[in-house]
Amino acid sequence: LRDITEKRRAETEARGSRDFVGSMLEHLPAIVFVSDAEGRIRLANPSWERTTRVPAVQAIGTAVADLVPERTA
């Protein structure tokens, strides 16, 4: 038998951290988006959607430069 107490504790802690960050991104009034090394959007919060009028599901995988005017990208 193996003691998996520490593993379970770490999993619970990680889940709590993910939930906290997810909630924060959902409720922040600021635009938050994450792009990869190629400039493709990987995550966009509701403020992104409200401000750009581009749904996150449509933005995901699209290059930031294709969605945001150059002077603001």
Side-chain angles (χ1 to χ4, degrees), residues 24-25 28-34 41 43-49:
M24 187 173 62
L25 289 174
L28 271 173
I31 294 173
V32 177
F33 69 92
V34 176
I41 295 174
L43 177 137
N45 73 343
S47 290
W48 159 276
E49 293 181 333

Side-chain angles (χ1 to χ4, degrees), residues 3-23:
D3 183 1
I4 60 169
T5 304
E6 182 61 27
K7 180 180 178 183
R8 293 287 166 107
R9 186 199 60 73
E11 290 170 350
T12 300
E13 209 172 278
R15 191 175 318 107
S17 292
R18 280 191 307 271
D19 291 348
F20 172 75
V21 170
S23 179

Side-chain angles (χ1 to χ4, degrees), residues 49-70:
E49 293 181 333
R50 284 190 298 277
T51 303
T52 66
R53 306 227 189 279
V54 176
V57 295
Q58 180 183 339
I60 304 301
T62 303
V64 176
D66 292 341
L67 295 172
V68 180
E70 188 175 324

